[in-house]
Amino acid sequence: MKKDFEIISMLAWRNVWRNKRRTILTLCTIVVGCAMIILLNAFAKGGHDQMIEDATGLVMGHIHIHEKGYWENKTIDYAFEADESIEKALSSNTHIRAYCKRIMCDALIAKGGTTKGVMIQGVEPVREKQVCGLYKCIIKGRYLSDSDSTHAVIGATLAQNLKVDVGNTIAIISQGFDGSIAAEHLTIAGIFKSGNPEYDKFLLQMPLKQADETFSMMGYIHAYVIKASRIDNIDAITSSLSKKLPNNVEVLGWEKLMPELVQFIIMDDVSGYLFDLMLFLVVAFGILNTIQMSVYERTRELGIMKAVGTTPGQIVALVILETFFITVIGVLLGVALGAGISYYFTVHPIDYSQYSEEIAVWGITTTIFPATVTIANTVVTAVLTMIVSLLFCIFPARRASKLHPVEAIRHI
Amino acid sequence: MEIIQVVNCTKDYHSDGQIVHALRGVHLSLHKGEFAAIAGPSGSGKTTLLNCIGGLDYSTQGNVYIEGTDISKLSPKELSRLRLFKIGFIFQAYNLIPVLTALENVEYILLLQGMGDSNRKRKAAEVLELVGLKDEMHRLPHELSGGQQQRVAIARAIVSSPAIVLADEPTANVDQKTGSALLDLMEHLNKEKQITFLFSTHDPMVMKRAHRLINIIDGMIVKDTLVKRKNK
Ligand SMILES: Nc1ncnc2c1ncn2[C@@H]1O[C@H](COP(=O)(O)OP(=O)(O)O)[C@@H](O)[C@H]1O
Ligand SMILES: [Mg+2]
């Protein structure tokens, strides 16, 4: 049994190199196919990561901790105490790059005769800057600092609508945590333009300390906002925090915070997978074609092998091993090439930033297209290519094994 | 006991809705050590008869016994083992596996039989020496002449000491001189090693060399003559 496997694999290996040109062409199909699948998946993943960063980076953050019920109702009542145990869990988690506290509530904002609805966020300016990038979008004035009190930054559209500018004072009115009326005069320290119409039209940020006072929060907050060191760590962080934190709070990753983005990524993935499938089929049919040709050309030889006592099982093994050898070589080279190119674009993303002004006309703010190559991507591609080609080669293998020696030998 | 016994064997082929009677009631028996030729014109059924005897094909009716075993009752798998251990085959041409050297082609049979490394190499080399290819052992088939390739085929056919060697027009693809030399070799092996040969031919020169001449026409044996062995 072992002996004949040896000779069959030796035969298979030599048969692979019998028609060098054809084998090399087949190898090229596999290499290019695998490399393309890996590269496309890497760009898809890179694009999605970028999208997630863009969507979470300015205001949302990667992960929120809320009082249970806050995210459904978004009212001031769902606040929790920012106690030691939460801080400890956050600061001890190595996957977390930074975190900050927020007070959040809806309010009315008035200036002169104009009144608008706004979303108020009380933030800790210095820590907030480590978590979110809104401070980078200031177009006039400055962002908040820790020494600010009755100061605020607002969106450009809101400022326009209220006809206010840096240095002006506005009034906000809302309900406090204790049910009382909360009202305050705030001086506009800066105006931001984020590119997100929602934020530009409705968002106001003020210092957390002042918000605590204005809304009578008594040390309660609405959210911890967390930035993960890497997007891929988010799931690990949420599950580890969920276990550690008290029962009254919940931990929500960006996927829960932004379900529309998840939907979009899934749709995009589906079309990506369809494309992958097509490439897999091209590769598999390339291999199938080669094996089928080589089996057909060897009809007489296979007939003689059977005549002298080679069993059908050994013939099946021969054809499968030939496919296996070609595919393994192709997949190894293809994975190396695909992962190599993808890695290059992971380190050196395609950068359109020198054309950012031209692109901005189209409403596109992203100018960097990175790739993210993952081990999962390369391993899955390699394994699937192997499986698909081995499945396909069963047809010619079975046909070869069923050849009738007499007829095969008559065949020249 | 007869090594081969063919009893009332018929073989019909169906092609394009027509029935071809390739064999029509063949009776034949062969003893150990015979050197026999099946002679007949093209299409007379020589190949068909050899295939039925060698277990490459089933006869339509009748029985074929190899060393007493009725092979028409064997499964394809059992036939495959029978061919591996009991029967040596030599075909007209392109007998060999092109990616294996002469030595490996001969070894191939022993490997399929499961023989261990050292014995196998020694035995294959011995047989190749016997057929006069000591120096060409490590060449690939395409590096050998037609006659040399047939010698490798003969070596492969006899390496496992089969009950009988069946050769279907083994000299048809080589010139007279080479063919004659191949016959010398087979005759020598027959005489020295007591290997039983049954070969087909339509070449009068080859017929003359046989010790027994079986004439077949239209799927029937019409004449079966023992030729007196000439002492050279
Ligand atoms: N596979 C087949 N299908 C149909 N007819 C066949 C087949 N094999 C052989 N024959 C026919 O059977 C007859 C005997 O053929 P064969 O044994 O090859 O003769 P020979 O070897 O003496 O030339 C011929 O008429 C041939 O055409
Ligand atoms: Mg013939």
Side-chain angles (χ1 to χ4, degrees):
Chain A
M1 189 64 225
K2 207 179 131 273
K3 276 266 128 17
D4 69 61
F5 186 76
E6 246 173 68
I7 181 108
I8 296 291
S9 38
M10 190 248 268
L11 260 179
W13 178 253
R14 291 194 195 169
N15 281 333
V16 164
W17 299 108
R18 201 156 151 180
N19 191 331
K20 283 207 184 65
R21 223 171 63 123
R22 185 166 63 200
T23 300
I24 288 170
L25 276 174
T26 314
L27 282 177
C28 287
T29 314
I30 306 172
V31 170
V32 171
C34 275
M36 264 173 77
I37 292 171
I38 290 172
L39 188 62
L40 287 174
N41 288 345
F43 269 117
K45 169 94 168 93
H48 294 162
D49 285 358
Q50 185 72 39
M51 237 183 266
I52 296 165
E53 280 304 348
D54 287 351
T56 57
L58 288 183
V59 175
M60 185 65 82
H62 290 151
I63 302 167
H64 281 196
I65 299 173
H66 294 145
E67 171 86 1
K68 275 188 183 140
Y70 174 80
W71 197 244
E72 290 94 75
N73 301 297
K74 295 202 179 79
T75 63
I76 196 165
D77 313 329
Y78 294 91
F80 62 99
E81 218 173 347
D83 65 21
E84 281 292 296
S85 71
I86 300 181
E87 289 273 345
K88 223 163 128 190
L90 292 175
S91 56
S92 66
N93 192 314
T94 50
H95 291 319
I96 294 178
R97 175 168 297 166
Y99 62 92
C100 59
K101 291 189 273 194
R102 272 190 202 159
I103 288 169
M104 299 190 279
C105 70
D106 293 329
L108 284 175
I109 181 167
K111 169 73 185 175
T114 326
T115 311
K116 300 277 170 199
V118 285
M119 163 80 196
I120 292 183
Q121 293 183 343
V123 300
E124 307 169 281
V126 170
R127 290 169 79 184
E128 176 75 25
K129 279 157 86 170
Q130 291 164 4
V131 178
C132 289
L134 190 66
Y135 71 94
K136 292 181 202 154
C137 304
I138 294 291
I139 52 168
K140 209 164 178 195
R142 58 170 179 84
Y143 191 67
L144 300 169
S145 74
D146 276 358
S147 55
D148 285 335
S149 55
T150 53
H151 293 85
V153 290
I154 63 171
T157 318
L158 182 60
Q160 213 172 10
N161 290 346
L162 292 171
K163 300 193 183 66
V164 293
D165 209 340
V166 173
N168 293 8
T169 305
I170 45 151
I172 55 167
I173 305 170
S174 182
Q175 189 199 30
F177 186 46
D178 57 359
S180 64
I181 297 285
E184 198 72 66
H185 285 282
L186 300 174
T187 308
I188 294 173
I191 293 171
F192 58 81
K193 186 167 183 190
S194 67
N196 180 328
E198 196 87 351
Y199 297 150
D200 290 345
K201 203 170 167 187
F202 295 110
L203 184 62
L204 178 154
Q205 285 190 344
M206 61 188 285
L208 184 101
K209 260 189 299 176
Q210 183 59 45
D212 179 69
E213 207 171 287
T214 304
F215 300 106
S216 318
M217 295 302 294
M218 298 170 295
Y220 279 59
I221 60 167
H222 291 106
Y224 271 105
V225 180
I226 300 165
K227 183 181 173 75
S229 55
R230 292 183 54 229
I231 284 179
D232 293 331
N233 293 334
I234 291 175
D235 286 344
I237 298 172
T238 42
S239 66
S240 117
L241 287 182
S242 302
K243 275 180 223 129
K244 281 188 192 160
L245 296 187
N247 257 336
N248 63 316
V249 298
E250 61 186 355
V251 185
L252 301 176
W254 67 271
E255 286 154 308
K256 293 252 174 58
L257 300 171
M258 287 190 271
E260 328 79 46
L261 186 57
V262 177
Q263 283 302 312
F264 178 84
I265 289 177
I266 289 174
M267 298 281 286
D268 200 50
D269 273 341
V270 167
S271 61
Y273 293 152
L274 283 177
F275 207 82
D276 288 350
L277 181 73
M278 268 162 48
L279 284 172
F280 274 125
L281 288 180
V282 167
V283 170
F285 274 109
I287 298 171
L288 177 68
N289 185 47
T290 298
I291 297 296
Q292 219 150 17
M293 286 284 286
S294 87
V295 164
Y296 179 78
E297 283 170 4
R298 282 183 292 159
T299 303
R300 182 185 159 90
E301 180 182 331
L302 292 167
I304 286 180
M305 285 173 67
K306 286 192 86 172
V308 300
T310 313
T311 63
Q314 287 164 335
I315 301 276
V316 169
L318 177 70
V319 176
I320 289 182
L321 277 171
E322 288 172 16
T323 315
F324 179 77
F325 287 142
I326 296 186
T327 319
V328 159
I329 301 172
V331 162
L332 286 180
L333 293 176
V335 163
L337 183 70
I341 298 178
S342 305
Y343 184 71
Y344 175 84
F345 285 115
T346 305
V347 181
H348 310 279
I350 296 177
D351 189 349
Y352 285 121
S353 52
Q354 53 192 121
Y355 308 108
S356 58
E357 278 171 30
E358 288 89 328
I359 298 177
V361 176
W362 307 93
I364 298 168
T365 50
T366 307
T367 53
I368 293 195
F369 295 92
T372 305
V373 58
T374 60
I375 293 178
N377 170 6
T378 42
V379 169
V380 167
T381 306
V383 170
L384 276 183
T385 312
M386 292 298 307
I387 292 177
V388 172
S389 7
L390 289 176
L391 277 183
F392 270 51
C393 87
I394 288 176
F395 301 105
R398 279 180 62 94
R399 229 189 41 166
S401 76
K402 283 188 175 151
L403 278 177
H404 195 290
V406 172
E407 274 147 38
I409 291 168
R410 284 164 66 95
H411 178 107
I412 302 281
Chain B
M1 191 181 66
E2 292 91 354
I3 278 186
I4 295 174
Q5 214 180 350
V6 180
V7 182
N8 198 18
C9 211
T10 66
K11 176 73 185 177
D12 299 336
Y13 286 114
H14 300 263
S15 64
D16 306 327
Q18 281 191 319
I19 298 182
V20 181
H21 301 288
L23 296 177
R24 324 167 177 237
V26 171
H27 290 273
L28 178 68
S29 45
L30 245 81
H31 296 276
K32 183 166 170 57
E34 286 204 81
F35 193 68
I38 301 173
S42 176
S44 56
K46 304 182 294 293
T47 300
T48 306
L49 180 56
L50 286 176
N51 287 344
C52 287
I53 294 172
L56 285 174
D57 212 346
Y58 290 101
S59 56
T60 308
Q61 266 176 14
N63 307 80
V64 176
Y65 299 89
I66 305 283
E67 293 187 323
T69 314
D70 186 353
I71 68 166
S72 34
K73 298 211 165 58
L74 297 182
S75 70
K77 207 172 166 179
E78 289 166 325
L79 278 183
S80 175
R81 277 190 80 71
L82 175 99
R83 295 198 300 267
L84 177 59
F85 284 93
K86 296 257 182 243
I87 298 165
F89 285 97
I90 304 165
F91 301 98
Q92 228 179 68
Y94 306 112
N95 267 292
L96 307 175
I97 300 174
V99 293
L100 299 183
T101 63
L103 184 70
E104 288 164 343
N105 261 287
V106 177
E107 268 189 83
Y108 182 73
I109 302 295
L110 301 177
L111 267 163
L112 291 183
Q113 291 184 343
M115 186 183 281
D117 279 330
S118 55
N119 264 344
R120 189 182 70 230
K121 289 237 183 305
R122 190 178 42 76
K123 192 156 183 195
E126 253 173 45
V127 176
L128 277 168
E129 199 174 335
L130 201 61
V131 300
L133 290 176
K134 193 173 182 238
D135 301 326
E136 287 85 0
M137 252 178 333
H138 297 294
R139 293 200 193 158
L140 289 169
H142 72 87
E143 297 164 336
L144 299 170
S145 70
Q148 288 173 326
Q149 289 181 22
Q150 287 305 73
R151 280 169 189 268
V152 179
I154 292 170
R156 183 183 64 184
I158 63 170
V159 71
S160 64
S161 320
I164 182 162
V165 173
L166 301 174
D168 193 8
E169 309 204 29
T171 60
N173 269 44
V174 295
D175 59 50
Q176 281 267 332
K177 215 175 122 216
T178 314
S180 175
L182 286 173
L183 277 163
D184 289 343
L185 172 63
M186 292 197 282
E187 201 172 14
H188 173 78
L189 292 168
N190 171 252
K191 202 167 139 197
E192 298 295 313
K193 304 261 160 194
Q194 292 300 302
I195 298 170
T196 316
F197 277 91
L198 177 62
F199 49 92
S200 70
T201 185
H202 61 260
D203 178 349
M205 187 281 288
V206 179
M207 293 176 207
K208 264 188 261 162
R209 302 287 303 266
H211 303 167
R212 177 179 170 187
L213 192 60
I214 302 154
N215 288 93
I216 182 169
I217 291 176
D218 270 347
M220 278 185 290
I221 291 177
V222 292
K223 205 166 142 207
D224 191 342
T225 11
L226 276 175
V227 184
K228 233 183 92 185
R229 210 181 277 205
K230 292 162 238 164
N231 284 322
K232 273 197 244 177

